[in-house]
Amino acid sequence: MNSASKPLLHIRELNKSYGDLHVLKNIDLAIWPGEVIAIIGASGSGKSTFLRCLNVMEMPQSCFMDFADFSFDFREGARARPDVQQLQQLRTQIGMVFQSYHLWPHMTVLENVIEAPVRVKKMPRKAAIEQADALLTRVGMYAKRDSYPAKLSGGQQQRVAIARALAMKPQLMLFDEATSALDPEMVGEVLSLIATLAEEGMTMLLVTHEIAFAREVSNRVLFFDQGVIAEDGPPEELLVKPQSARLQQFLRRILHEDIIASQENSR
Ligand SMILES: Nc1ncnc2c1ncn2[C@@H]1O[C@H](COP(=O)(O)OP(=O)(O)OP(=O)(O)O)[C@@H](O)[C@H]1O
Ligand SMILES: [Mg+2]
């Protein structure tokens, strides 16, 4: 299915605990260039923790990670444990977009998008502005480049947050429920932007409760259950003909919640 000779990201034996709570249990996963992977699973199953470990906002207790040209061993005391500078490099190459947009409120849209390229990547300001203008045009936010985040709708803020992540030229994008804090009428504009990125070949992992969207945009689905990847396969199999009782039960519940939400919205 994939012509690349090696995965973009390969992790093995990823374990993450908070105190006695073993949240991620020995996870192995290879992600190939261009894959669009939807992650589904019940609340508390470890989806957000998993994404946060991938872009090393959280340090796992163990993880062998091959990413692009890096090869790390995260165990305490390991010789190949990433240092501070390598962690920062990893974070710039793995972009993340959250449920709440986390834009800097005291900066304009343009300043939000150029901040990290200028500060972290030491990109000349003029080049960063040119790049930001192109990205803002692409996400349909150029007209608001001099506005402050508080003046924007949720959907607009999220599109700026996506432009800000893309400004670092990441090789992998992680989306953690990027639409779940949005009003229903804003969801579509953000989903269609994500779908465009997928079509353009961006490798991405998306935690989502939008099952119809996951089916449309992803070519692989992971079902998280109690800290393990319980199922891994194409959307037509997992989302249309789920085999395990737990996945069937999960999908039934999500579908039920969607129906209730759409009834409430139409009131
Ligand atoms: N910083 C933390 N300290 C302690 N426990 C945490 C922390 N972050 C997450 N947890 C716990 O880890 C487990 C997994 O949480 P996580 O946020 O990854 O779940 P999730 O699958 O993203 O859930 P949701 O669908 O509700 O977002 C939960 O039991 C949660 O309480
Ligand atoms: Mg979560």
Side-chain angles (χ1 to χ4, degrees):
M1 177 191 125
N2 212 297
S3 58
S5 60
K6 78 179 181 74
L8 174 63
L9 175 67
H10 192 183
I11 55 163
R12 282 159 293 135
E13 295 175 39
L14 166 60
N15 282 284
K16 176 69 188 172
S17 300
Y18 295 107
D20 293 337
L21 185 65
H22 195 177
V23 177
L24 299 175
K25 300 167 185 158
N26 242 7
I27 293 188
D28 290 343
L29 183 69
I31 298 170
W32 296 84
E35 277 194 311
V36 177
I37 302 179
I39 299 182
I40 58 172
S43 180
S45 58
K47 306 177 299 294
S48 296
T49 305
F50 181 62
L51 294 194
R52 288 203 305 268
C53 286
L54 294 188
N55 97 330
V56 291
M57 288 163 64
E58 291 278 357
M59 286 293 267
Q61 275 77 17
S62 75
C63 177
F64 296 97
M65 176 190 283
D66 297 313
F67 174 71
D69 298 327
F70 298 109
S71 198
F72 293 127
D73 174 353
F74 280 79
R75 288 172 302 176
E76 185 124 19
R79 206 145 18 114
R81 208 169 194 232
D83 61 28
V84 173
Q85 206 188 346
Q86 288 168 324
L87 287 176
Q88 195 178 47
Q89 276 180 314
L90 256 184
R91 287 190 197 112
T92 65
Q93 296 192 27
I94 303 184
M96 183 140 172
V97 173
F98 306 86
Q99 180 175 341
S100 49
Y101 343 104
H102 297 308
L103 293 177
W104 291 296
H106 59 289
M107 292 183 187
T108 64
V109 162
L110 179 69
E111 288 163 350
N112 263 278
V113 179
I114 66 171
E115 173 70 11
V118 169
R119 287 276 168 99
V120 180
K121 279 199 158 175
K122 312 292 181 209
M123 194 185 226
R125 199 178 154 82
K126 189 163 172 282
I129 291 175
E130 277 169 21
Q131 175 189 261
D133 283 343
L135 283 169
L136 289 171
T137 304
R138 182 163 165 210
V139 304
M141 289 301 297
Y142 180 78
K144 300 277 187 188
R145 77 199 273 276
D146 299 316
S147 301
Y148 285 88
K151 301 279 180 195
L152 306 180
S153 74
Q156 291 173 332
Q157 290 186 53
Q158 194 60 299
R159 285 187 280 149
V160 174
I162 292 171
R164 184 178 60 172
L166 293 174
M168 295 301 272
K169 298 204 172 72
Q171 300 198 53
L172 174 66
M173 283 283 284
L174 312 174
F175 291 88
D176 193 357
E177 297 192 42
T179 60
S180 54
L182 300 177
D183 291 337
E185 64 271 26
M186 308 281 166
V187 169
E189 66 190 45
V190 174
L191 290 184
S192 70
L193 174 57
I194 295 173
T196 308
L197 295 177
E199 280 161 21
E200 290 169 2
M202 175 64 84
T203 310
M204 47 185 153
L205 281 170
L206 322 145
V207 172
T208 184
H209 289 297
E210 309 268 350
I211 298 297
F213 175 70
R215 201 176 143 187
E216 198 179 293
V217 80
S218 72
N219 45 38
R220 185 174 171 193
V221 178
L222 308 178
F223 173 53
F224 268 64
D225 189 24
Q226 300 178 26
V228 300
I229 299 175
E231 306 222 16
D232 175 353
E236 313 82 67
E237 270 172 37
L238 262 72
L239 302 178
V240 184
K241 292 175 284 184
Q243 299 295 316
S244 76
R246 287 194 74 96
L247 179 53
Q248 287 171 3
Q249 187 189 24
F250 170 76
L251 290 173
R252 258 200 308 272
R253 203 176 58 231
I254 287 242
L255 203 61
H256 182 67
E257 283 167 7
D258 277 354
I259 291 167
I260 295 192
S262 68
Q263 283 168 350
E264 279 170 0
N265 288 329
S266 63
R267 253 176 228 153

